[in-house]
Amino acid sequence: MANNTGQKFGGRTKGTANKHSNEIRQKFQSLIEDNLEVLQADLNKLKPFERVKVIIELGKFVMPTLKAIEIQNDDIKPERPKFVFINRRDPKIIDAAEKP
């Protein structure tokens, strides 16, 4: 029978780290640390463009990926465009708001 109560029974509690994920991260970190010299030698053999591309890809494992956010503010009204009229006979500039 399915649990329709909304209560959680068993499993990890909220905020508790997943032990398998932590274990895998530690082993991966150890693998990288033990092979830094080999990785550096392999990177040095690449062309500059390829080297940067690989470093960026590896950086995804170290740095969190940022998510784009969109800010929506309905309170701000766009400014109305201003038009300027120039009379050729009289080179005085007349603002559109002042035009008769």
Side-chain angles (χ1 to χ4, degrees):
M1 181 178 239
N3 177 10
N4 295 329
T5 63
Q7 294 177 343
K8 188 173 179 179
F9 299 102
R12 18 179 214 117
T13 58
K14 188 175 182 178
T16 305
N18 185 334
K19 65 181 177 181
H20 296 294
S21 296
N22 286 338
E23 185 179 335
I24 290 171
R25 283 189 184 110
Q26 288 174 352
K27 288 184 179 185
F28 185 74
Q29 182 177 354
S30 177
L31 175 72
I32 298 296
E33 288 173 354
D34 293 343
N35 292 295
L36 277 176
E37 294 167 3
V38 175
L39 281 170
Q40 185 63 53
D42 290 343
L43 283 172
N44 291 340
K45 292 177 186 175
L46 296 175
K47 295 177 183 175
F49 176 77
E50 294 170 335
R51 186 179 309 127
V52 170
K53 195 172 180 179
V54 169
I55 290 171
I56 290 171
E57 288 297 317
L58 289 174
K60 292 178 183 177
F61 291 99
V62 181
M63 302 289 292
T65 304
L66 300 178
K67 185 177 179 181
I69 59 169
E70 184 177 317
I71 299 174
Q72 187 175 16
N73 191 347
D74 296 331
D75 296 337
I76 299 174
K77 295 179 181 176
E79 188 175 316
R80 188 174 176 210
K82 295 182 180 178
F83 297 97
V84 176
F85 297 96
I86 301 175
N87 187 341
R88 289 185 183 184
R89 294 182 191 142
D90 182 13
K92 183 174 120 181
I93 297 175
I94 304 170
D95 189 9
E98 299 171 2
K99 189 175 182 207

